[in-house]
Amino acid sequence: MTSKPQFAGRSLFDLDDYSREEIMFILEAAKGMKEINLREYKKIPTLKGKTVCTLFIENSTRTRMSFELAANRLSADVVSFQSSISSLQKGESLQDTVYTLNAMGIDLYCIRHSSPGSPQLVNKYSGKPVINGGDGRHSHPTQALLDIFSIWEKLGDIKGLKITIVGDILNSRVVRSNLIGMGKLGAKVTVCGPKTLMPSNMESVYDCRVEYDLQRALKDADVVMGLRMQLERMTEGLFPSLEEYSKHYVLSKETLKYAKKNALIMHPGPMNRGVEILPEIADSNQSVIVEQVANGVAVRMALMFLILGGKA
Amino acid sequence: MKTLIKNANIFTQGKFIKGDIFIERKKIAKIGGTITVNADKTIDAKGACVLPGFIDLHSHLRDPGQTYKEDIVTGTLAAAHGGYTAVCAMPNTEPVTDNIASVEYIQLRAKDYGYARVYVVGAITKKLAGEEIAEMATMKAGGIVAVSDDGKCVQNARLMLSCMKYASNFDLPVIIHPEDYSLAGKGQIHSGKVATKLGLSSIPGLAEEVIIARDIMLAENTGAQLHIAHISTARSLELVKNAKDKGLPVTCEVTPHHLVLNEEANLTFDTNTKMKPPLRSEKDRLACVQALKEGLIDCIATDHAPHADFEKEKEFDIAPFGIIGLETAFPVLYKNLVQTGKISLNRLIEALTIAPAKILNLPGGVLAEGKIADLTIIDLEQETLFSVENILSKSKNTPWLNQFLPGRVMFTICNGNITYKDSESE
C-alpha cells in the first residue's frame, strides 16, 4: 500500500520533481476544484489568511490571471508583482525583490520569468514554496498539468496514447514539461517541426520520437497539440517565412486526416490562427482549447491547496 | 635570507628524491642529501613534498578597474595559497592593458605588493575591440611576455593575420580565446543534452573549433607562435594534433574545471558552473584528460576569473561567466585525476610547472641548483575544507565551495621569500 503523497511546503519547479502517483493525485484534486468553478458561488475559505504572490517578471496576462483567480477562489490574499511597474525596472536584483516581498509575509510565490532556473532562485532567497509559472524556454509545469488533465478528462488513462506536438519545439517550455509529464504517465509522444526549430538530442533527453514530416508525425495520433511560433524568442533566421512554415506544418482538416478520427485538438495559446492552426480546427468539436483555459484554474487551485496544506 | 628545508620529498629532474634544500640569495644553492649549514630559517618538511612553484599562464587579477572582485595583492595572495609562484595577468582590465603605462602599473604594483611573480600579457588589439593592432612592440620592450585579447576573440580574419605577423616580428607568443561570436551567439552553456533540457541558449563546440582551425592556418602562414587558451572539445584537440604533427609552433592549455566537470554540472543552475568556454560533454572532458595525459595538451591554466557574489547571485542567463581557480587547481586535480589514477602525479606537476614555463620562456618550473628559488611545500596527505573563510581571493565564485580537498599547501616560497605559510605550519 502506498502512502498518501505529501505536498505541503513543496515547490513545483518542473514535473521532474513529482512522481506518477503524485501527478495523478494532483489531477484528482483538480477534478474537485473544477466542480467548485462550476458552482454559482465559486469560492471556498480553504486558504483564508494565506498570502499568494504572483511574481511576474515576464509579461503574461492570461497565466497571471489564472493563478490569481485560483488563489482568490481559495480565499487567499493575492498580491501581484509586475516587472513593468516594479523596482526591477529601477535596477533592483531579483534577490532583493524577493527579500522585500518576503518581509511582507508571502506564503507562496507563483513566478513567471524569462530566465531558466529563476523559480529555484526565488525559493532559495525566500525559503517559501514556489510554483513555476514558466521560466524561459525551460519549463511550464502547470501548463503541462492542465494539458494532461484535459486529455485525462476526455480520454481517460494516458498510458499508451499517441500524442503529437507540432510547432516551435526549440523555444517551447510547454513541450519540455509536457514531455516529462506525459512520459511519466506512459504516453507515446512525437514532436514535430522543422529541423531548425528542434533542439538537439531530443530523443535521448526525453522519451519521445522526433519527426520533421507532419504527415508521418500525425499518423494515428489520439491527441494533436499545436504550439505557437514564438517569434519574440527567435533572434536569427530559423525559417524563411510564416507562410512557408504554415504550408508545411499547419494543422488543418487536410493534415489531420492522418490522425485518428476525432483526435483531441489542443493548443496552449495564444494561437496564431492561420499559421500553426486553422480556425476550422481550432474551433471544431474536437478542440478542447477553451477547456484547457478553464482547467488551468482548477489545476492551479489544486496545487495551491496541496502546497499550502489547506484543509478541505 | 638563507632558508633550509629539511627532510623533504623533492621533485627534481622529473622524479622525487628524499633530502634537503638550501636557499641562498634567492636561488637554490644546494639540493638533495643531508645539508648542514647555518640558515636564518629552517623548515621541517617531513612527510611533505617540495615542488617547483606552479606557474599560471592565465589569470584575471582585475586590477586596474575591477578591484572589488580582485586586485594584484589578493590575486597573488590567492596564487601563493594555491602553490603558485608566478601568474600571467590577462589584459582585459579597465582600462585594457594595451599600452606601456598599463603594463608598468601592473608591474610596479606586483613588485611592491605582490605575493607572486606577475607577468603581463598585453592586448592583441586596442581596447580588445578587434579593430586596430595594439602597441605590441612598445609593450614588449616594457616586459610583456605574450599578447592576447582574452575574454574576447578577434573576429576579423584579415586583421588577425596582421596581428600574428606583427606579433611574430617581435617574438611575442599569441594567446587566443577561440570563440566565433556568430556561432556562440548569446549562448550560456554547451550545446548538448543539458541545454536542451534546461532550455538555455547554447554555445556549440563549433564556435571554438572554427577559430582554432582559422588561427592554426594563420599561424602557419605567419610563423607566429600560437597558444590556445582553455581548450575544451575533442574536435579542437584533433586540430591541435594535426598542427603539432606538422611541426607548427602551436601549444594549448586546459583548465582544471574542463578536466573535472562536464555539462551536467549546469543542471543545478548554479552560476558557479557557468564559464567560458562552457563545460562540455563527458566525451569532450574525457578527451581532454587523455590529451593531457599524452602531452597533446601542454599545460594546465586556471583561467582564474573572480566575480563578486552580487554578480553571480543572479539569474543564470544574466550572471557573468567564470570561476576562481588559483587556490583549487592543484587539490582538485590531485583528487580527481591523480588519486583516481587518471594521470600520474609527475604529469600533473609537469603541466603546472615546467610546461607553462617553456611555452612563454619564463624562469622557474624546475628545482635544481642555481635555479631561482620558486617552490611550494605541499602535504598530500592532509585535506582542508575549502570554505569562504579560508579563500584568500577577494571573490568566492567556485563550484568547489565547502568541499574537502587534499593537498594542503604548507609554504610557498617565491624568489627565496616565504609568500604563503599555512597557519598550522610552524
Side-chain angles (χ1 to χ4, degrees), chain B residues 204-277:
Chain B
L206 266 179
E208 173 176 308
E209 293 148 7
V210 296
I211 294 291
I212 290 177
R214 180 198 76 173
D215 286 358
I216 285 172
M217 293 175 85
L218 295 180
E220 185 174 17
N221 182 279
T222 59
Q225 183 190 335
L226 181 69
H227 178 71
I228 300 159
H230 43 53
I231 204 159
S232 70
T233 79
R235 179 78 183 110
S236 293
L237 293 166
E238 282 175 31
L239 295 166
V240 171
K241 183 170 188 314
N242 291 340
K244 286 190 171 188
D245 286 348
K246 285 172 82 174
L248 299 176
V250 173
T251 53
C252 65
E253 71 190 30
V254 66
T255 72
H257 40 280
H258 288 104
L259 289 167
V260 171
L261 301 173
N262 65 25
E263 59 182 330
E264 292 191 9
N266 300 132
L267 280 168
T268 59
F269 291 107
D270 179 359
T271 55
N272 287 327
T273 65
K274 179 178 175 179
M275 53 274 285
K276 249 189 189 177

Side-chain angles (χ1 to χ4, degrees), chain B residues 111-153:
Chain B
K111 183 168 172 280
D112 290 345
Y113 305 107
Y115 291 86
R117 296 171 195 276
V118 176
Y119 298 109
V120 183
V121 176
I124 295 175
T125 65
K126 291 177 185 173
K127 297 183 179 176
L128 309 182
E131 291 171 359
E132 295 175 86
I133 305 176
E135 292 174 345
M136 295 182 191
T138 310
M139 290 194 288
K140 172 76 190 280
I144 63 167
V145 294
V147 287
S148 177
D149 268 6
D150 188 59
K152 295 202 172 170
C153 176

Side-chain angles (χ1 to χ4, degrees), chain A residues 1 24 31-32 61 65-66 80-81 91 129 133 145 162 172 177 180 224 229 239 245 282 298:
Chain A
M1 181 180 158
M24 289 310 299
K31 207 163 143 187
T61 309
M65 283 174 65
S66 180
S80 177
F81 181 100
L145 284 170
K162 285 180 150 181
S172 176
S177 291
I180 296 169
V224 179
M229 297 299 286
F239 62 98
Y245 172 82

Side-chain angles (χ1 to χ4, degrees), chain A residues 16 113 115 137-138 176 200, chain B residues 196-199 313 315 317:
Chain A
D16 275 340
H113 198 305
S115 298
R137 303 188 303 188
H138 174 217
R176 286 173 166 85
S200 57
Chain B
T196 292
K197 178 155 179 55
L198 300 185
E313 285 281 345
E315 295 89 319
D317 54 350

Side-chain angles (χ1 to χ4, degrees), chain B residues 139-183:
Chain B
M139 290 194 288
K140 172 76 190 280
I144 63 167
V145 294
V147 287
S148 177
D149 268 6
D150 188 59
K152 295 202 172 170
C153 176
V154 178
Q155 300 294 293
N156 183 320
R158 190 180 178 87
L159 175 67
M160 193 59 180
L161 179 69
S162 297
C163 292
M164 284 212 198
K165 269 187 193 167
Y166 197 71
S168 68
N169 194 66
F170 300 99
D171 294 325
L172 275 168
V174 177
I175 303 174
I176 59 160
H177 164 117
E179 182 186 7
D180 181 290
Y181 295 169
S182 62
L183 285 167

Side-chain angles (χ1 to χ4, degrees), chain A residues 145-163:
Chain A
L145 284 170
L146 76 87
D147 291 340
I148 291 167
F149 181 87
S150 304
I151 298 168
W152 177 65
E153 197 180 33
K154 294 287 179 189
L155 302 180
D157 194 359
I158 307 286
K159 193 173 180 184
L161 287 179
K162 285 180 150 181
I163 302 173

